[in-house]
């Protein structure tokens, strides 16, 4: 019997230690692992590894930015540095720095540590700041992922990111810069998700993420709409939903495909899948 003090892993359906069962009516049910901490041990280890790897990824992004800048065309202005060719890399580096420093400040305030001097911080290079901030977060990792929800500032792009802003939040918009700064309630669980997301996006930019194959079957979860199942290279699961995070074993996926195929016709499949079935 589980202890009443235990709680589900904060990663929910994306929990690495989750258990998937099939009910009597054929519905697939994924249950996050129970534990006494915010995350299960597997997810905690994954988050810590991602945090430890961010300084190296940041440096590699900076090196990649320099290489691209030397091989491409420079846009120069009077008495100013050339504009980097790959502005996306520069934006990602700035986002990593901004998010990690915000969590560094939250951890320092929670632990009663001295906050960095503003003027001193402005004179330090970003690479040294990333290393110092990451060292603090690793030393107080349990405190980081256990932080209670408090208001923090986050930036969202005006084009395409507005739907990511939680309902009821407020902030200010910079139309010239194309972004808005919003005050959102974030906890230690959100810090972990941001760290995992940043690590993944850095690896994706560097071309180190695993290949994903879209599958010709929808996710069995009723909250998902459309063909969101994928097969991820190197994964222990036969299918993963990119929308809700549902994980399906080989037997579960095969059973679901048989059930789904028995209820649809070729006209119900996506265009590419329908052409394959007709062939």
């Amino acid at each position: 019997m589980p202890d009443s003090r235990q709680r589900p892993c904060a990663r929910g359906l994306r929990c690495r230690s989750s258990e998937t069962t099939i009910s009597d009516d054929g519905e697939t049910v994924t249950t996050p692992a129970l534990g006494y901490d915010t995350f299960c041990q597997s997810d905690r280890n994954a988050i810590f590894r991602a945090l430890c790897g961010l300084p190296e990824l940041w440096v590699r992004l900076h090196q990649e930015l320099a290489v691209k800048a030397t091989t491409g065309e420079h846009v120069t202005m009077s008495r100013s540095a050339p504009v980097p060719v790959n502005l996306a890399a520069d934006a990602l580096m700035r986002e990593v720095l901004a998010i990690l420093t915000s969590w560094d400040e939250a951890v320092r305030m929670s632990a009663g540590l001295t906050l960095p001097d503003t003027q001193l911080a402005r004179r330090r290079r970003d690479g040294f700041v990333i290393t110092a901030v990451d060292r603090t977060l690793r030393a107080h990792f349990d405190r980081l992922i256990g932080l209670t929800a408090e208001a923090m500032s986050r930036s969202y792009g005006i084009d395409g990111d507005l739907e990511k802003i939680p309902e009821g939040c407020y902030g200010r918009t910079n139309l010239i810069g194309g972004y808005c700064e919003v005050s959102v309630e974030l906890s230690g669980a959100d810090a972990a998700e941001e760290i995992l997301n940043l690590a993944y996006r850095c690896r994706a930019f560097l071309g180190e993420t695993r290949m994903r194959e879209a599958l010709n079957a929808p996710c069995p979860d009723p909250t998902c709409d459309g063909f969101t199942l994928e097969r991820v290279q190197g994964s222990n699961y036969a299918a993963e939903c990119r929308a809700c995070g549902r994980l399906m074993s080989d037997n579960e996926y095969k059973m679901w495909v048989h059930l789904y195929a028995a209820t649809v016709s070729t006209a119900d499949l996506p265009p590419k899948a329908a052409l394959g079935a007709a062939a």
Side-chain angles (χ1 to χ4, degrees):
M1 292 293 294
D3 194 323
S4 59
R5 295 173 297 173
Q6 291 181 322
R7 52 183 173 175
C9 174
R11 297 219 71 203
L13 295 178
R14 290 172 291 181
C15 172
R16 292 171 179 261
S17 301
S18 62
E19 295 184 357
T20 303
T21 58
I22 301 179
S23 61
D24 296 336
D25 56 0
E27 181 182 359
T28 302
V29 180
T30 302
T31 306
L34 296 177
Y36 298 98
D37 299 318
T38 307
F39 298 96
C40 66
Q41 190 61 41
S42 296
D43 279 313
R44 183 191 183 282
N45 294 341
I47 298 163
F48 188 76
R49 287 195 302 269
L51 177 62
C52 293
L54 277 176
E56 179 184 352
L57 290 173
W58 192 93
V59 171
R60 293 176 58 194
L61 279 176
H62 188 276
Q63 293 173 342
E64 185 76 3
L65 179 66
V67 170
K68 291 183 181 295
T70 57
T71 58
E73 180 181 356
H74 293 272
V75 180
T76 58
M77 300 178 65
S78 59
R79 297 187 179 183
S80 61
V83 176
V85 171
N86 198 322
L87 296 178
D90 183 67
L92 179 56
M93 292 166 57
R94 292 177 184 275
E95 185 176 357
V96 172
L97 179 64
I99 290 179
L100 289 189
T101 51
S102 69
W103 288 117
D104 172 77
E105 181 178 348
V107 166
R108 287 178 178 273
M109 293 183 65
S110 174
L113 303 177
T114 303
L115 294 175
D117 180 78
T118 304
Q119 296 300 325
L120 178 61
R122 288 178 178 176
R123 291 196 295 266
R124 299 180 64 182
R125 293 187 177 182
D126 291 346
F128 292 103
V129 175
I130 284 286
T131 303
V133 165
D134 190 81
R135 186 186 304 116
T136 302
L137 296 180
R138 285 187 283 113
H140 301 272
F141 182 69
D142 288 325
R143 182 179 293 275
L144 169 66
I145 61 177
L147 289 173
T148 57
E150 295 207 6
M152 301 186 72
S153 177
R154 287 293 180 266
S155 297
Y156 298 88
I158 294 179
D159 298 328
D161 286 346
L162 294 181
E163 68 277 3
K164 299 178 182 179
I165 301 177
E167 186 177 356
C169 295
Y170 62 91
R172 60 176 184 171
T173 302
N174 187 320
L175 296 178
I176 298 178
Y179 68 93
C180 57
E181 291 185 359
V182 182
S183 177
V184 295
E185 293 284 331
L186 298 177
S187 65
D190 298 305
E193 293 292 345
E194 288 189 331
I195 290 171
L196 290 172
N197 179 262
L198 288 175
Y200 175 82
R201 290 169 57 195
C202 290
R203 294 197 309 271
F205 182 87
L206 296 169
E208 297 180 356
T209 51
R210 295 180 292 180
M211 297 179 61
R212 294 175 175 268
E213 175 190 359
L215 300 175
N216 296 326
C219 177
D221 195 307
T223 61
C224 290
D225 183 20
F227 291 73
T228 55
L229 289 182
E230 297 177 328
R231 180 177 288 113
V232 182
Q233 180 185 19
S235 174
N236 294 326
Y237 295 91
E240 302 181 15
C241 178
R242 65 174 180 271
C244 71
R246 177 187 287 269
L247 305 174
M248 302 180 69
S249 66
D250 188 59
N251 290 335
E252 292 167 351
Y253 177 66
K254 289 179 179 178
M255 181 182 300
W256 167 242
V257 168
H258 287 310
L259 290 173
Y260 175 70
T263 60
V264 298
S265 62
T266 305
D268 298 315
L269 297 176
K272 292 183 179 180
L275 290 175

